[in-house]
Each structure stands twice: as C-alpha cells, then as structure tokens.
Amino acid sequence: SHRRTIPLKQYLYEIMNNNGGETRPDQLGNQTWYLFGETHSGEWAKFLRQYNLPSCHSCTELHYQQSLIALSFGIGNVGSGVQWHLHGPGFSETIHGRKHWVLYPPENRPNYNLDYASRHWMEYTYQSLKNWTTDDFEREHQNHEQFLKQWRRRSLDSSSDRKQGASYTMDESKGPSEKKPWECTINAGEMLYFPDQWHHATINLSPYTVFVSSFTSEHED
C-alpha cells in the first residue's frame, strides 16, 4: 500500500541515480519505488492508446472499448521487478531493455519473502532449487491438462466465469516447490504470454527497462 504520486521526470531521475541506479537484492520492498500498474489516469490512457494490442482474438479494439482488456505501463531500473504473485492471463511486451521472467504452473507455488523485492529471491533462493526431470515435465503436462479441463468446464457452466477469469482450485496443502521455475528473458520487441493463475515474478536486467502488460480474458487459441 506504499504509493506516491510524483512527476514521471522525478521518478526517472530517482531510479537512475539513487543506490547507484539499481535495486539491490537486500533492499526491502517498501524501500523500492516501481512504476507499474498505477497508469490509469486520462493522460496515461491517451498515451497507451498508441500501443498496438497483442494479436489474439480477445485483444481486439472492441474488447478494449468494453474494458475486457486493460493496459499497464512500467519502467524500472536494473534489479527492480515485481515479487511473486498471480492473477488472470495476459501478455507483456518489453519496449526497451531486457526483462527476466520466472514462472510456476498453478500447482507449483514458490517460496519467497514478501518483505523483499524479486531480486532477493533470485539471488538467495533460486540457487538452491533443483532442475526439472523428465518425470517432472510429464507430471506437469498432466496437471496442465487437468487445469484446462477444469477451466473449460467452468467457462461452459457460467458466462461470467469467462469475464472474470475462471479460477483453478489449487492444492493449498502442497508445500512450496523445490524445483526451479520456468524462465526466460524478454528483449526489446519481444512478448510473453502468462497463463491464468500462473505464479510469476520479474527482474529487470537493463539500466532501465520499459514494458507494457495487457491483461485479458482467458482464451483457448
């Protein structure tokens, strides 16, 4: 709930000059300022209208006008990012710089300290995790098939589920995953799709990284 309303110019000056222009792994989350998600004013809406929506059947201009797709703009310095979280599906495109993504399927929740930024997890927890085996991939394939069946069944049962994003009932009794997450680095001009209810976190790798995320209703194609 720590928020500030400041000019964009001031924010850029701070992230490029404070702490040597980076977010360190030992910085607490409430000591880290990060522009992302709070771009809903009229000025930001006018700016984001210039963005080309992802090419998917639930990312049309009509979906945008009906508020079925929401755009968020972000800028962060090296080492900044969003700590582990989950929500509905969407896309994220890197406009400038490089952004590293780490993701877990719904059944493989991460173990992390919410008091710190995502770089802390990457440098102190990631190193102790195990690689995936062939059996792990096969098991995850089966879990994903179960997820799709459950989602499609709920989507057919109620049209409101599709608007809100049908949620998957996860096994909360299952402990944090001991395996490494799925991961990739998104360079300028590249885009990533994050599925519904997948845990994910991000770490910006460049002196400053600019990106746009498109939050959509779920789709099968």
Side-chain angles (χ1 to χ4, degrees):
S1 62
H2 297 274
R3 288 179 172 85
R4 293 189 303 166
T5 300
I6 60 174
L8 178 60
K9 182 177 181 179
Q10 178 183 342
Y11 169 76
L12 294 176
Y13 178 84
E14 290 182 4
I15 66 170
M16 297 300 293
N17 292 277
N18 294 350
N19 299 319
E22 70 172 309
T23 299
R24 298 188 305 267
D26 58 343
Q27 276 184 242
L28 294 173
N30 60 9
Q31 298 172 338
T32 305
W33 299 109
Y34 191 51
L35 172 61
F36 176 59
E38 299 296 322
T39 51
H40 306 306
S41 67
E43 290 179 315
W44 281 112
K46 183 179 179 181
F47 173 71
L48 288 171
R49 290 291 295 168
Q50 303 176 60
Y51 178 69
N52 294 322
L53 296 174
S55 180
C56 76
H57 77 254
S58 60
C59 305
T60 66
E61 181 65 22
L62 180 60
H63 286 86
Y64 185 78
Q65 293 175 0
Q66 295 177 340
S67 299
L68 295 178
I69 179 170
L71 300 179
S72 289
F73 177 84
I75 302 178
N77 61 9
V78 63
S80 63
V82 178
Q83 185 57 285
W84 286 101
H85 63 291
L86 56 82
H87 46 63
F91 299 84
S92 185
E93 180 178 5
T94 298
I95 308 300
H96 177 88
R98 297 183 303 141
K99 177 181 286 291
H100 193 72
W101 280 75
V102 286
L103 307 96
Y104 277 115
E107 285 292 339
N108 298 89
R109 64 184 179 89
N111 180 29
Y112 63 97
N113 188 333
L114 192 58
D115 289 337
Y116 290 94
S118 53
R119 185 177 178 183
H120 181 274
W121 182 91
M122 198 68 191
E123 297 201 14
Y124 293 104
T125 303
Y126 175 89
Q127 309 301 329
S128 64
L129 300 174
K130 303 174 183 178
N131 291 320
W132 284 53
T133 65
T134 301
D135 289 342
D136 291 329
F137 282 111
E138 179 60 30
R139 190 178 305 109
E140 178 49 39
H141 176 74
Q142 296 173 0
N143 287 338
H144 189 62
E145 288 297 315
Q146 179 187 0
F147 168 83
L148 288 176
K149 289 179 181 179
Q150 185 173 348
W151 179 84
R152 287 168 179 157
R153 183 168 60 251
R154 291 188 177 184
S155 297
L156 291 173
D157 290 343
S158 173
S159 61
S160 64
D161 282 343
R162 180 170 293 275
K163 294 180 181 179
Q164 298 174 3
S167 60
Y168 178 58
T169 303
M170 289 176 284
D171 183 4
E172 295 295 339
S173 64
K174 188 175 181 179
S177 177
E178 297 180 353
K179 302 292 185 178
K180 289 183 178 178
W182 298 41
E183 58 185 311
C184 63
T185 297
I186 305 300
N187 299 296
E190 296 179 340
M191 182 180 294
L192 173 141
Y193 171 73
F194 46 88
D196 189 21
Q197 302 303 306
W198 276 50
H199 307 269
H200 56 280
T202 61
I203 304 96
N204 296 313
L205 303 179
S206 298
Y208 72 94
T209 299
V210 182
F211 57 97
V212 175
S213 292
S214 307
F215 299 94
T216 74
S217 56
E218 184 59 285
H219 47 272
E220 299 177 10
D221 296 343

